[in-house]
Structures are given as structure tokens and as C-alpha cells.
Amino acid sequence: MACEQVFEWNYEGQLIVILWHEGWLWGGANYWQRLQQELEQTVGRIQILVTFFGETPDSSGSHEDRRALTALTRALAIDIEKDQDGKNIELGGWSSITDFNRLWDASVPWSRKEHSALLRLCQIASDLFFSKESGILPRPTLSEFFHFLADPATFRTKSLHDKPKEALEGLRSLKWLDVCATFNQETVINILVVENKPNELTKTNEEIGTKLAELTGGTNSSPLGFLPNARFYLVKENFLDLRTKGEREKVTATIWHPTADGASSCAGAVIVPWKSIDLVLQDIVLDDFDKGQSVTGLDLVPHYFEACPQALVFMLTSLDVETLVGSGDVNWKYVDCLVSKNALATIWYEYRRCFRERFGRMFWSDWPGVVEKDRKLLRNLFGTLRRWQIEPDILWHGQTLPEMIDHANRHITALWKLVNDFVGTLIEYRGADAKVLSLRHRVALAVAVWMHDVGHRGDEFITGSMDIRASHAGISERLLLRNPDAYRLGWLLEGDYLPHSACNAEASGRDFRLECRNKTECTVGETAPLCLMREIGLLCRHHQSNAPLDEGSLKHMATRGKEPSIYSLAPDCGAASDISSEDFLFQITNDALPMPWPRGLKVMQLKDFRTVDREAFRALAGLLRMLDAMQLHRSRVGSSAFIAGFNEFVETKFEWCRSERIRLEEDRRAATPGRKSFQRTSAKLSELDEYEILLKTQQVHFWRQAAVDEVDIRWIWKPQGKAIIDVCYTLDEHSLSHLDRLSTDVPNADGGDFTFDLSSALGDGSFADKWIRNLVKEVLRSEHKSQYLDSSPGDIAGYLGSLIPHVDFRVSVRRMKYGARSEEVFPESTPNP
């Protein structure tokens, strides 16, 4: 499509329309320069509309054009994300003037600011539009720039493979340009610099800044001073004191200002604020001596994990990085990134990358200018996340369900990536419902992702495999309330998050918290909503469908023959019960004791609890439930050798079941019907039936997981401003072919057996067709109905409530065959209400 006039002013100068077409990159006109000029002439607040003619750019046009369009909309999102009147970006498509006139509502407010990401992107793209040689650093092309922005990992791998020597400097340039264009310069962080020769560091910094200034035609901007609101704490001596807690808490640092001219200015000495440090820049070689002993940066790295676990740790070195990595001296367990001093310009690029990987894409947009109270909350969360990632056994020590696929580190790590990519994508494209995915809710969601299966270890009431499988979600909640500090969540007991002294008292607080487990309101705080810890616990409990969200969820559970989790049961007394929550659990889990309450039991529903926003919170719980069910990946079942070992384990369990069945049947024949011994034996036979079903259905679970090579979250624009968030599975053909050999013997209700052939049951079609058919039928639609049984999504807040209007949810597959990938999208995979 040709377009003479790309920028149109309308509505008396209040609206600027960016008409996107394929000529943006290769049409011969520098549209980026023209857009920059138009934006720089604006006065006050305007409206910006990004639109295209005809089909969505995601289904037509070149890859380069789509990448550039993505960069433009993201830069616009960065500019409006802190705008109080900001709204969601809708990329509008039109095919007639009538369609175009309807797009006014899709425009977003924008005003020219000092650190505008949109202006910076235009300036860099404009400067790179005409390829020019650089005498100091390699000058990337505009196509390379947008390719790097869209997929840095793939671009980096290909570049280093094709031209490793030339690519190294070029990648550093691209990282710098990426930061210039898309990094929020208003980010406020505290940085600890441990360096014995700070002046040499700033001198190197000055040289790099001079080289980089030529790339953008701008002035020298010091890489270490790129963030004007960052505060640097410099420690340049007494390094041994950093290794012990007592001495470390006395260490002083100077407020350091690394200047662009290579000098350093310091102002005053302060005690290092360890709990507020966000980034540690540690020189790898400290060749000064203190107290007759030497210490290196490598010696200090593990101690930061104790002193400031919430801080990312970067090692700075002037050594050859390849030699250093090959030496094996770096303890990568505690190091988040290794940065050459000759590549200081990449620090902020690496900081953003590590932040998004360690702490989450879902929190990156909040981090630049969040208020101090929320910054403290995020630091507490980050410290916990980093601990769990470095020491996963904190959560999954003592897992007791070897009969099932992994519900520990491999599952949770993959689920964290899935949830982070899903929510992060919604936030980056402005597709998230602000109430459902508020900062508080996202913090609760992040903790619940890691904690929701910790109940697989059991507790003092339940230890058997089948009972744990049925009630592990409720156990996870109870373990959290019982002792959050055991999982490095002690900060949830602090006054900011749990202000009631009765609940956070050192001696009796545990009893109050456990008694509060089924209280629908905060009894201590009177009219206050439930605390953050209670909300996290409720998310853990309700990730299983036997903990209903509402009446419809309870009805769906009953239609599937599921019994409610005992951790969702409470005495149905109509008034205050005289039995404590813990005594109730003790009696209901002990078959030798009578029913704990004569008037019966009631099932607690999530909607009954007074959370901060009940409708939004129910949608949040539904999102966790849905994404947990969708976490499918071959890493969860391990290698072929691991699967062979698992199959051997299952075979021995089947043999045990056969011998145990013979013994129990003999005992029941010898017992008198109606007696307790007869009833106990019958109950054990019923449990044995369920256990055998568990063993047999693992074949389907293993096949479903092993077929998935990778999972991607894709954002797809549609005409008229609509969009799709798509969970795309890449399937491995070899693993899919195992479906031919998959069958499961399931006991009939009358005690007989029949063979359920999964391949035949799923009908005709390719293995990929059958795989996603199984996923949709057995997982997605079931979880969907547990949230939207007989109502439209607008009536009840379920997982779709996390999306803004006009954003659809979809699942698709790609088939990977002989190294090539072809995409197959299944529209029917979207669960229908």
C-alpha cells in the first residue's frame, strides 16, 4: 500500500494519526524523522492513534515491519503507563471512512516529556534509517535494530555464529540503543558499587560514552549515570568486613557520583542500607590487602545472598570473559550477570533482562516510579523469589507423591515462566484489567505460583498419597499460615502487611492465623479486608477445582463426581461454632472419631471471603487455576531415561496393588457384613481402586507433557482494535507418535475392567489434532466450566476477567517436524461459555 500523507492532523489539532504501512521501512521516505518532527512540535496534551488499512500487520507484510510496529506501540505504552487518564492501546484497522471515524475511541493521550520513549525511538530509528559507516563502533542497520528489539536471543545467536568477532561490538551497540529507546530513565534504584579503583572505572566509562554518542548523534551520556534518579553507594576498602554479618552491618559507603568526564565525586559516608539495595556491582579483582589478608570479588558474592537477597549481583571484570568463564572460578549460583568493563554501556540492558527473568516481566513497568511503600513490598517479594530460585529445596523438600509427574521445581519454574509471560504480555500491550492484575494482586499471584503445590509434602492431618493428591492445595494454604518464615515469607508478618498484633505475635500468632483460615472476614481488624497472607493462602487453596469459587463452581464439581477438599469444609452451624478450626480438622481426618459437628458441614466458597476486591480476586484465582492446568512441557517428565525409571516404579506399584487386592478381598470375605472390620476393608479396597486409576492415568499425563517442546505467549492484533493473547504450544512429532501405543485399563463401577484406547477415543486426524483435542476436552473446557458454568463471562468473574474487553484468549499449536515448524491454529480450542 502506498501512502502520500502518513501523519494526519484532525479534530482541530488534538489528534495525530499514524497510518502504518509496509513502506515505513523500505518506502524510501524517513517516516521516523517526520513523526519525530511532528511530535516535537506538539504543545500540551494530544491524542495519538496508530492504525492500518485492511488486514492486520500480524498477518501480512514483512517481519521487519511487524517488529517496527511492535516497537512503536510499546514505546507509546511506556509513555502513557503513568498517565492517570491513560488507556489501553488498541491498534485499529479500517477498510472504509466509516470504519476510520469509529477509531477515535482507540486513540490514547500523549504529551511531550523530557524522557519520552516514543521520541527516543523515533530519533534513533531516524538516525539509523540511512546506513552510514561509523569510525569507532559498528553501526547497525535499522532492520538489525528492530530485529534485536523483537528477539534479542535469536539475533545474538545468529550474529555470533556468522561473524563472532565483528558481532561482539555490534551487539554492545544494539544493547545500548535498545536501552536508549525503551528503558524508562525515571527508574529509581539503589546501587552498591564495591570497587577498589573507582576512578579507573569512570575513566573507562567516559571512553565508552564518547564512542556511543556517535551512534545516536547525541552528546556523551555516561552509561553508569544513565539513570538520573539512581543512588550509588561506593565501598572501596575494608572488603573483609563484608563477609560477616556483625561487621557488615557497620560497613559505611560514600554517596558516589560517577561523572561523564571520568572523575568521581563523593558526598558523605552512610551505613550501607542493605535492605534497600537493588543492584550490586562487584569488581571481580580486589588487589588491595586488608588486615594481612586478601579478598576477591568472587569471595564476596555468596555473602550478598545473605545480606541483600533482593538485589541482583553483577560482576565487573577487565579480564577476558571467555577465559574467566572457562576457569570455573565464578560461582554462577549467586551471580546474575558478568559484565566486561569494556562493555559498561550494557549494564542497564542486562539489568532489565535479569530483572525480568528473576523478578518478572509483570513487575517491570511498576518498578521505575513506584511509591516507597510498594517498593518495599516488591523488594520483599524479590528477595523471596531469588531465594526460591537459588535454593529450591526451601519449598519442595519432602515431596511425597512419586506416583505423579513432577509438581516441584521443574513444574513451578515452568509455571512461573508461563504466568510471567502471560501477565507480562498483557501489561506490556496494555491488555490487562487493572483491578484484577493490580500490583497487590500480582504480588499475591507470584507468591501463590511458587507456593501452591508445597502441600504435596502433607501435614500432621494428611500424609497418604491419595489424600494429599486430593487436598494438597488446602494443605499449602495451611502450611503458609502455620509458619510463613519456614518458606522465607516472614515479611508477610510485618506490620505493613499484617498489622494485627494478635496474628503476628511470636508465641501465639500461629494459633490466631490457623483459626482464621476459614474466617470470611478479618475478625481482629474488624471491618478490614483479609490480609495479604490470607489472600495468598486462598489462591493456593482454590487452584484445585475441589475448592469452589462460587455456586456454579460447586455445581460443576458435583457433576464431575468430585468431593470437596476437607480444607474447604467448615461446621454448618448457622452461628459461631465452639469447635476450633484445628480440632475440626483433627476430627474430620480421624475415622475413629464421630462427625465433628452434628448439624453437618458446609463448603466454603471463594466468593464468601472478604478480599480487597472480591470479583477481581475471583478472576485472579481463576487465572492461576487455568494457567496451572495449561503448564505442559517435556521438562516436567524428564528425559527418556527418567521416564523409563518412572515406568519401572509404576510397574512395581501395580504388582503391589495386585497382591494387596488379593489380601484385602480375603479379609473382606472373612469379615461379617456390617461390622467395622468389613467396612474398613471395603474402604481400603475403594482406595486401592482410586490408586490404580491414579497410576494408569499418569500415562496420559506423561504423553501430554512429553509432546510439548516449548510454550510461547503471543499477542496478535486483529482489525477494529481487537487482539488475541495466544498460548502457542510447539509439539514434538516423535513424542506425539507414542499416542498409538497408549491405552489405559480403568475399573468399571461393578468391579470389571475395560480398555480405554485414547487414540481411538480422540477420533481421526493428525497426532497434533488429537493432542490439542485432548487438552481442550480434558483440561481447558473443564477448568473453564469450573468458572463459567451456566453464565456468560460477564456475569461471573473468572480467568477471562483478567483481560480487557476486545481481547480474546486462544490456544494454538505448532508442529515441529524435521527441524521445520508449521503452525496450526485451532479456533475451537477457545473454551466456550
Side-chain angles (χ1 to χ4, degrees):
M1 171 184 174
C3 184
E4 292 291 334
Q5 187 69 25
V6 181
F7 312 109
E8 293 286 352
W9 287 89
N10 206 338
Y11 298 95
E12 299 181 357
Q14 296 179 6
L15 172 69
I16 182 170
V17 178
I18 303 173
L19 178 59
W20 188 266
H21 61 94
E22 293 184 23
W24 264 83
L25 283 181
W26 313 117
N30 192 341
Y31 297 123
W32 294 101
Q33 184 180 58
R34 294 175 59 185
L35 176 58
Q36 179 187 0
Q37 292 170 351
E38 294 282 359
L39 293 175
E40 287 178 341
Q41 294 173 8
T42 61
V43 178
R45 188 182 180 90
I46 64 169
Q47 296 291 124
I48 292 183
L49 170 66
V50 183
T51 184
F52 56 88
F53 182 83
E55 295 183 355
T56 167
D58 286 279
S59 59
S60 64
S62 67
H63 287 294
E64 287 81 3
D65 278 305
R66 294 202 296 272
R67 291 166 182 154
L69 179 58
T70 297
L72 185 145
T73 52
R74 284 185 177 177
L76 184 58
I78 292 173
D79 280 355
I80 69 172
E81 65 187 10
K82 298 302 180 185
D83 195 317
Q84 291 183 355
D85 298 324
K87 56 178 288 187
N88 302 296
I89 295 177
E90 298 178 8
L91 192 59
W94 58 282
S95 57
S96 66
I97 296 299
T98 303
D99 288 342
F100 183 82
N101 289 334
R102 293 195 189 107
L103 292 176
W104 167 259
D105 290 337
S107 63
V108 293
W110 185 87
S111 56
R112 182 158 49 90
K113 301 175 183 177
E114 181 180 357
H115 300 297
S116 166
L118 183 57
L119 280 175
R120 282 183 277 132
L121 176 69
C122 291
Q123 189 264 316
I124 292 172
S126 172
D127 198 52
L128 295 179
F129 185 84
F130 300 107
S131 180
K132 296 183 294 184
E133 292 295 327
S134 173
I136 299 178
L137 282 177
R139 185 181 187 84
T141 65
L142 188 58
S143 177
E144 290 174 334
F145 175 60
F146 286 123
H147 190 176
F148 181 81
L149 289 181
D151 190 358
T154 301
F155 183 88
R156 181 174 60 248
T157 301
K158 186 178 185 303
S159 299
L160 291 173
H161 179 270
D162 293 343
K163 297 179 179 180
K165 292 184 179 180
E166 297 88 338
L168 186 60
E169 286 294 330
L171 287 171
R172 291 174 179 175
S173 301
L174 284 167
K175 289 180 180 179
W176 164 252
L177 292 174
D178 185 347
V179 167
C180 287
T182 62
F183 197 95
N184 192 328
Q185 296 189 19
E186 298 176 359
T187 303
V188 181
I189 58 174
N190 294 326
I191 305 166
L192 176 66
V193 182
V194 183
E195 165 70 70
N196 62 318
K197 296 179 180 178
N199 289 337
E200 292 186 7
L201 189 65
T202 52
K203 183 178 180 181
T204 302
N205 184 51
E206 178 199 14
E207 295 172 354
I208 296 171
T210 302
K211 295 178 181 179
L212 290 170
E214 185 176 318
L215 286 179
T216 57
T219 58
N220 177 14
S221 179
S222 169
L224 278 182
F226 183 80
L227 301 181
N229 296 323
R231 170 169 285 195
F232 292 84
Y233 296 89
L234 174 65
V235 174
K236 58 180 179 179
E237 56 187 1
N238 298 326
F239 302 121
L240 278 176
D241 293 344
L242 296 172
R243 301 195 302 180
T244 58
K245 182 177 180 180
E247 296 299 322
R248 185 168 55 240
E249 292 177 349
K250 303 174 185 176
V251 170
T252 59
T254 54
I255 306 299
W256 187 48
H257 302 284
T259 57
D261 60 3
S264 296
S265 61
C266 299
V270 296
I271 299 294
V272 176
W274 293 107
K275 291 184 178 180
S276 300
I277 296 297
D278 303 306
L279 174 65
V280 177
L281 299 179
Q282 172 66 64
D283 186 11
I284 204 167
V285 177
L286 301 172
D287 54 3
D288 285 352
F289 290 85
D290 183 65
K291 300 179 181 178
Q293 300 181 48
S294 63
V295 62
T296 70
L298 296 173
D299 298 324
L300 297 177
V301 167
H303 301 288
Y304 298 129
F305 184 58
E306 178 185 356
C308 48
Q310 77 284 350
L312 295 171
V313 178
F314 285 10
M315 299 294 295
L316 303 180
T317 180
S318 56
L319 301 176
D320 178 77
V321 174
E322 292 182 358
T323 301
L324 179 63
V325 172
S327 70
D329 290 335
V330 179
N331 189 338
W332 295 108
K333 184 177 182 180
Y334 302 105
V335 175
D336 298 291
C337 187
L338 185 66
V339 180
S340 169
K341 290 184 179 180
N342 293 324
L344 287 176
T346 66
I347 279 182
W348 304 124
Y349 175 89
E350 301 297 350
Y351 174 73
R352 179 182 59 191
R353 178 184 64 81
C354 293
F355 182 104
R356 286 157 55 97
E357 290 178 3
R358 283 284 197 193
F359 306 143
R361 291 170 58 184
M362 68 172 79
F363 298 114
W364 177 249
S365 62
D366 301 280
W367 189 238
V370 69
V371 298
E372 188 56 33
K373 182 179 179 180
D374 290 337
R375 184 168 291 272
K376 179 181 178 182
L377 172 63
L378 288 175
R379 285 189 180 120
N380 282 325
L381 172 66
F382 296 164
T384 298
L385 290 176
R386 199 159 175 270
R387 284 187 181 277
W388 288 340
Q389 291 163 4
I390 292 176
E391 296 182 326
D393 282 347
I394 291 175
L395 292 183
W396 301 295
H397 170 73
Q399 295 282 34
T400 56
L401 283 179
E403 297 86 352
M404 298 178 64
I405 61 174
D406 179 77
H407 281 76
N409 191 17
R410 288 176 293 174
H411 165 54
I412 302 302
T413 300
L415 178 61
W416 168 242
K417 182 179 184 304
L418 177 64
V419 173
N420 184 39
D421 286 342
F422 189 93
V423 177
T425 297
L426 287 178
I427 290 174
E428 289 169 9
Y429 284 97
R430 311 284 290 181
D433 184 279
K435 289 185 177 181
V436 176
L437 293 171
S438 65
L439 178 61
R440 176 188 173 97
H441 281 175
R442 277 177 280 141
V443 169
L445 177 64
V447 177
V449 164
W450 289 83
M451 283 289 296
H452 75 283
D453 276 342
V454 75
H456 274 280
R457 67 180 65 187
D459 63 4
E460 64 266 44
F461 299 116
I462 290 181
T463 58
S465 296
M466 292 304 298
D467 290 334
I468 286 178
R469 176 176 178 261
S471 299
H472 69 272
I475 300 174
S476 296
E477 176 194 32
R478 186 175 172 278
L479 292 178
L480 169 66
L481 298 178
R482 189 174 187 273
N483 187 7
D485 195 47
Y487 311 101
R488 291 301 180 261
L489 287 168
W491 53 271
L492 288 173
L493 298 175
E494 295 178 3
D496 288 340
Y497 319 114
L498 187 60
H500 316 306
S501 58
C503 301
N504 57 29
E506 186 173 347
S508 59
R510 172 184 297 185
D511 295 334
F512 273 92
R513 296 192 301 271
L514 290 175
E515 185 61 27
C516 187
R517 188 177 58 83
N518 266 333
K519 300 292 185 182
T520 57
E521 297 184 354
C522 179
T523 55
V524 178
E526 297 178 351
T527 60
L530 298 181
C531 64
L532 180 59
M533 180 164 47
R534 282 291 314 278
E535 290 190 336
I536 295 170
L538 288 170
L539 288 178
C540 291
R541 183 201 301 193
H542 290 88
H543 89 268
Q544 277 189 290
S545 57
N546 61 359
L549 305 178
D550 49 38
E551 291 87 351
S553 184
L554 180 61
K555 180 180 177 182
H556 177 68
M557 182 189 73
T559 59
R560 299 194 69 200
K562 285 190 173 184
E563 294 184 358
S565 166
I566 63 169
Y567 293 86
S568 289
L569 298 178
D572 189 10
C573 54
S577 171
D578 59 358
I579 183 173
S580 72
S581 177
E582 293 294 279
D583 288 341
F584 175 80
L585 277 176
F586 176 71
Q587 293 186 42
I588 203 171
T589 56
N590 193 323
D591 294 338
L593 298 177
M595 182 68 69
W597 191 255
R599 300 188 187 181
L601 306 172
K602 64 178 179 180
V603 182
M604 303 299 296
Q605 303 171 21
L606 182 61
K607 74 175 185 63
D608 297 331
F609 295 93
R610 187 180 180 189
T611 54
V612 172
D613 188 318
R614 296 193 191 196
E615 291 295 304
F617 191 78
R618 286 160 59 201
L620 186 73
L623 180 63
L624 174 61
R625 177 180 291 189
M626 179 62 75
L627 293 180
D628 181 46
M630 293 174 60
Q631 194 283 292
L632 307 170
H633 197 275
R634 58 187 173 86
S635 64
R636 193 169 174 184
V637 297
S639 65
S640 58
F642 181 91
I643 294 175
F646 176 83
N647 288 335
E648 171 65 16
F649 168 81
V650 171
E651 184 177 344
T652 62
K653 286 298 181 180
F654 274 128
E655 292 174 357
W656 174 84
C657 287
R658 283 190 285 271
S659 61
E660 183 70 3
R661 183 177 298 278
I662 293 172
R663 184 186 68 80
L664 290 174
E665 288 176 346
E666 289 179 353
D667 289 347
R668 186 166 63 173
R669 283 193 294 268
T672 302
R675 295 295 182 94
K676 286 188 176 181
S677 59
F678 183 91
Q679 295 173 356
R680 282 195 294 265
T681 304
S682 298
K684 289 181 179 179
L685 277 168
S686 178
E687 291 175 0
L688 190 63
D689 290 341
E690 293 180 3
Y691 184 68
E692 285 187 307
I693 293 175
L694 170 65
L695 293 176
K696 293 169 182 177
T697 54
Q698 292 311 298
Q699 296 180 59
V700 180
H701 290 303
F702 262 72
W703 168 75
R704 192 185 289 151
Q705 302 275 348
V708 180
D709 185 70
E710 62 181 69
V711 185
D712 297 310
I713 305 297
R714 305 184 302 169
W715 182 268
I716 303 172
W717 290 109
K718 298 194 301 181
Q720 288 78 48
K722 296 182 179 180
I724 299 171
I725 186 164
D726 179 54
V727 182
C728 182
Y729 295 92
T730 300
L731 304 181
D732 178 73
E733 294 288 335
H734 177 71
S735 296
L736 283 171
S737 66
H738 288 194
L739 180 61
D740 274 345
R741 305 192 294 272
L742 193 61
S743 64
T744 304
D745 297 329
V746 182
N748 272 323
D750 59 3
D753 289 343
F754 69 94
T755 297
F756 173 71
D757 188 335
L758 181 63
S759 180
S760 299
L762 292 175
D764 297 329
S766 69
F767 290 132
D769 293 343
K770 294 181 178 183
W771 183 91
I772 200 166
R773 202 173 299 143
N774 174 263
L775 173 67
V776 171
K777 179 181 178 181
E778 300 297 329
V779 179
L780 297 186
R781 287 194 177 137
S782 175
E783 295 294 348
H784 181 85
K785 288 182 179 179
S786 75
Q787 300 175 48
Y788 304 106
L789 183 58
D790 297 317
S791 306
S792 65
D795 295 333
I796 302 176
Y799 71 102
L800 293 177
S802 62
L803 313 175
I804 62 169
H806 309 305
V807 176
D808 295 331
F809 170 79
R810 189 175 71 183
V811 174
S812 63
V813 302
R814 294 173 180 170
R815 294 170 61 188
M816 185 173 67
K817 189 174 184 179
Y818 307 120
R821 299 184 183 183
S822 62
E823 181 174 318
E824 295 185 17
V825 177
F826 293 78
E828 72 271 20
S829 64
T830 301
N832 296 316

